[in-house]
Amino acid sequence: MPAPDPSSVRIEGPWTHLDVRANGIRFHAVECGDGRIDRPLVLLLHGFGEFWWSWRHQLESLTAQGYRAVALDLRGYGDSDKPPRGYDGWTLAGDTNALIRSLGHSDAALVGHADGGLVAWATATLHPRAVRSVAVIGSPHPRALRYAVVRDGAQRSAFLSGFLGNQLPRTAEKTLTRSDGAFIADMFARRTASAWQHTDEYAEVIRRNRAAIQIPGVAFCSLEYRRWAFRSQLRRDGVKFLALMNQRLHIPVLAARGHLDDYMLSETVSASRYWASRMTYAEVDGSGHYAHEENPDQVTELLLEHLQLV
């Protein structure tokens, strides 16, 4: 069978698909409503192995509450451009900073899951004037994660078990795409709560994400995020990046995780408060690593409470 076309992620629904040029490339973005720039902008950044559609619930709910909610396909994902380079912390933060201005705003509240959360942390630190607040789900501050992986055996085992396999060129890409993207199905099965796995929505999530990882270029690009994160630990650019990240944010920060998430542990996520003076830590009932999809109502409630602090 031919590989899925990038346009396959332009799923029909109560939203509009946009093409936005920022930081030298084209991004696919999705929003509900009419794109009014007089509404506070909320940018929704997805995690590894997904695409904008993971925020489908929050897109509608946040828009209904008066925000301009925009979900992105990150660099290298979905129907966004897939350049061979640019998956380092500086460039990814630059993407978000430029996107805010390309959408007609001077600042935004950032909401990120997993890798998208790491982009949110980096953008808030490197481009502080562009970020009003940060909310992350299952995504500790980069320095908190590094410390936990070094010092906490449980977190090291949970995180590195799949992370190191991502470093092998070509082999890792084949692992992600073989057998119709079966890796994605296995990843979700291991990191979500069993109750959600028995729903029709879960089956649709698996089907769509298995297809999206097979879009040409996506497997390589998504792995480049993780390859830079690993290899930079041993290089000057990574040392410099983590040094720059070693400063406290003084904007509202929500750090949430699924109560049943055994991939990002509570101690790791809550330790992010060392780098955020106004951080709220929260756990989402009955959910694993994909709390915003497993329990969208509670996550949306947490986000609305958080956004009112800005």
Side-chain angles (χ1 to χ4, degrees), residues 275-294:
W275 293 275
S277 65
R278 299 174 59 190
M279 190 183 108
T280 300
Y281 173 73
E283 296 203 347
V284 182
D285 298 334
S287 58
H289 189 56
Y290 300 86
H292 56 306
E293 299 183 83
E294 298 178 64

Side-chain angles (χ1 to χ4, degrees), residues 160-181:
L160 291 183
S161 59
F163 190 79
L164 293 178
N166 296 155
Q167 307 304 315
L168 301 173
R170 297 187 179 86
T171 300
E173 281 86 342
K174 291 179 180 178
T175 298
L176 259 60
T177 58
R178 73 162 61 103
S179 302
D180 194 30

Side-chain angles (χ1 to χ4, degrees), residues 47-195:
F48 175 75
E50 294 197 277
F51 61 104
W52 73 266
W53 191 71
S54 69
W55 298 109
R56 59 199 175 279
H57 299 293
Q58 288 74 31
L59 264 179
E60 293 190 74
S61 299
L62 293 176
T63 302
Q65 293 299 316
Y67 296 95
R68 186 189 181 191
V70 179
L72 304 170
D73 284 338
L74 296 179
R75 170 185 292 254
Y77 279 95
D79 199 17
S80 290
D81 282 350
K82 302 167 183 64
R85 288 175 292 278
Y87 302 95
D88 57 275
W90 285 281
T91 303
L92 296 170
D95 286 349
T96 311
N97 179 52
L99 276 161
I100 291 168
R101 283 154 179 76
S102 293
L103 289 166
H105 296 258
S106 59
D107 58 25
L110 304 184
V111 181
H113 169 246
D115 288 3
L118 295 176
V119 175
W121 284 114
T123 308
T125 304
L126 302 178
H127 303 279
R129 293 183 179 179
V131 182
R132 298 192 313 275
S133 68
V134 168
V136 291
I137 301 169
S139 186
H141 188 278
R143 290 188 68 96
L145 178 58
R146 183 177 185 275
Y147 183 88
V149 169
V150 171
R151 301 294 183 90
D152 185 334
Q155 183 63 81
R156 180 167 57 252
S157 177
F159 182 71
L160 291 183
S161 59
F163 190 79
L164 293 178
N166 296 155
Q167 307 304 315
L168 301 173
R170 297 187 179 86
T171 300
E173 281 86 342
K174 291 179 180 178
T175 298
L176 259 60
T177 58
R178 73 162 61 103
S179 302
D180 194 30
F183 176 93
I184 296 296
D186 179 65
M187 181 177 71
F188 271 81
R190 289 184 284 109
R191 297 181 185 170
T192 56
S194 60

Side-chain angles (χ1 to χ4, degrees), residues 2-26:
D5 188 88
S7 64
S8 62
V9 303
R10 294 180 178 252
I11 301 165
E12 293 185 2
W15 39 63
T16 301
H17 295 272
L18 312 171
D19 290 296
V20 184
R21 294 206 66 88
N23 210 20
I25 66 172
R26 178 190 58 82

